[in-house]
Amino acid sequence: MRVLGIETSCDDTAAAVVIQRQGRLTVAANVVQSQLEVHAAYGGVVPELASRAHIRHVLPVVATALERAGLTLDALDGIAVTTGPGLVGALLVGVATAQGLAMARGLPLIGVHHMEGHLLSPFLVEPDFAFPCVALLVSGGHTLLVHARGFGDYHLLGQSLDDSVGEAFDKGARLLGLGYPGGPAIGALAVGGDPRAVPFPRVLLNRQACDFSFSGLKTALRTWLEKRENGGPTPSDVAASYQEALVTPLVIKALQACRLANTTRLVVAGGVGANRRLREKLQAEAEAAGIRVLFPPLEFCTDNGAMIALAGLRRLALGQQATAPLDARPRWSLAELAGPVRSL
Ligand code: KG4
Ligand code: ZN
């Protein structure tokens, strides 16, 4: 089974081909065209500019993915596309493209939930990883803890009540005068810094629950920067301290979610999953708690078409496909996905 996945929900235009042969998955091509240079000057994603850049890039990116996979459209068994959540104009570019290609070639089309794509991304490289598990999904738009009981059967255990952790990284980076996206910039500056240099609060809310709150930390950083005195902590210390305050609740709540869900399997996905400190700390603490934690490789952590192709492939294999024209769903909760589908 060969599926093309198209992803345009935010600021990356991505397409990939995933092939399943005798139960084995191969990512035959994975192409991402970043829009960093378009948005960098604004310190964040400008939705209208994102839509226009997707329009310019989407067909060349799809063509490159097919070429690298050594396939033509006619050799595909289906096309999967992110239908939400995300920026409406950006989503519409992917949806219209996928729909046009599928219609022109008479191919099955399937709409995919972006966060289900992130959740399934570890399966691209770890075929043995199995449900049930807990997923910590940490991106620019979301911070979710999900109990994935089976394929398509997702129960929300907790989420951020305000900013996502990716947003907290990005806003913090702006306050520190670093570039966009802020996550990698803070991560790089924090290397060698002292994470205890500035006592930013650890916002844990109710200890028993799995919710997060990150907006206060950005305010704490702003206040600290306004009051700082000469000769204090270095920029590297400040970045390391801020990063530690963001990462610590993620680690504590992810382990708490595993306890609540009674599982010893944890996957981490989404852009912030690329953060080195999060990987180190979670790996060490999960191991001590007897929990196996899996991070997809970096290329599958941030937005990519392979995760969308995989989610589409799984659904197509179960006989699901779009029966009416697809629409973009900018707001779409993962919990709204139709109930249990079948174990992977
Ligand atoms: O999943 P993603 O690529 O796109 C969305 O669906 O939002 O996540 C993007 C987010 C941005 O906020 C970015 O700053 C953050 O992921 N990010 C990181 C790192 N790499 C990307 N945050 C912390 N450390 C990183 N190394
Ligand atoms: Zn994402």
Side-chain angles (χ1 to χ4, degrees):
M1 196 163 192
R2 307 178 182 102
V3 175
L4 169 71
I6 299 177
E7 153 63 39
T8 63
S9 67
C10 190
D11 62 341
D12 286 317
T13 315
V17 178
V18 172
I19 301 178
Q20 181 173 262
R21 248 186 232 111
Q22 288 159 355
R24 267 199 57 231
L25 286 172
T26 319
V27 180
N30 187 39
V31 181
V32 181
Q33 170 74 51
S34 152
Q35 299 181 6
L36 268 188
E37 75 287 3
V38 175
H39 305 288
Y42 302 93
V45 178
V46 183
E48 181 55 27
L49 295 183
S51 311
R52 293 184 206 179
H54 283 308
I55 291 171
R56 282 197 303 278
H57 296 314
V58 70
L59 286 173
V61 164
V62 166
T64 307
L66 289 170
E67 196 185 311
R68 287 193 193 159
L71 296 174
T72 59
L73 279 173
D74 295 315
L76 296 173
D77 296 292
I79 300 182
V81 62
T82 306
T83 45
L87 302 169
V88 65
L91 288 166
L92 282 169
V93 178
V95 168
T97 305
Q99 201 142 251
L101 294 174
M103 239 183 225
R105 300 300 165 125
L107 290 169
L109 175 70
I110 186 116
V112 169
H113 191 293
H114 181 79
M115 298 313 285
E116 178 174 59
H118 275 305
L119 195 155
L120 295 180
S121 60
F123 289 94
L124 288 166
V125 285
E126 280 282 337
D128 300 337
F129 203 81
F131 291 126
C133 64
V134 162
L136 172 66
L137 303 178
V138 278
S139 69
H142 298 87
T143 308
L144 306 177
L145 271 165
V146 178
H147 182 197
R149 294 178 285 212
F151 175 51
D153 185 7
Y154 311 128
H155 172 67
L156 193 62
L157 293 170
Q159 61 188 319
S160 176
L161 304 180
D162 41 55
D163 291 353
S164 74
V165 66
E167 238 175 311
F169 268 106
D170 294 334
K171 290 178 177 172
R174 219 172 304 163
L175 290 170
L176 291 169
L178 304 172
Y180 176 83
I186 289 188
L189 183 60
V191 175
D194 176 4
R196 287 155 305 181
V198 186
F200 291 124
R202 308 289 187 254
V203 185
L204 292 170
L205 303 172
N206 174 355
R207 276 255 173 193
Q208 309 311 316
C210 297
D211 291 325
F212 304 96
S213 169
F214 293 110
S215 67
L217 273 171
K218 166 194 67 193
T219 314
L221 174 62
R222 184 184 302 119
T223 311
W224 186 86
L225 288 170
E226 281 164 7
K227 291 190 179 153
R228 87 174 136 183
E229 286 159 14
N230 287 340
T234 65
S236 177
D237 290 339
V238 182
S241 302
Y242 186 69
Q243 172 175 263
E244 198 69 13
L246 293 178
V247 162
T248 303
L250 295 179
V251 172
I252 292 175
K253 299 291 180 168
L255 299 184
Q256 169 71 350
C258 289
R259 280 189 289 273
L260 289 176
N262 198 20
T263 178
T264 53
R265 281 190 292 262
L266 172 65
V267 298
V268 183
V272 180
N275 184 269
R276 254 218 273 166
R277 180 63 189 140
L278 174 63
R279 287 178 173 237
E280 265 169 30
K281 196 172 165 77
L282 195 51
Q283 194 78 55
E285 298 195 17
E287 210 174 295
I291 290 165
R292 181 177 168 213
V293 54
L294 188 70
F295 293 91
L298 296 189
E299 62 177 320
F300 300 133
C301 244
T302 48
D303 288 350
N304 64 86
M307 66 185 195
I308 303 305
L310 172 59
L313 190 150
R314 291 291 187 218
R315 288 186 177 271
L316 278 170
L318 295 171
Q320 298 184 5
Q321 60 173 284
T323 50
L326 287 179
D327 210 351
R329 295 185 69 177
R331 292 183 162 274
W332 183 11
S333 159
L334 191 59
E336 281 172 51
L337 273 179
V341 181
R342 199 175 73 189
S343 264
L344 263 178

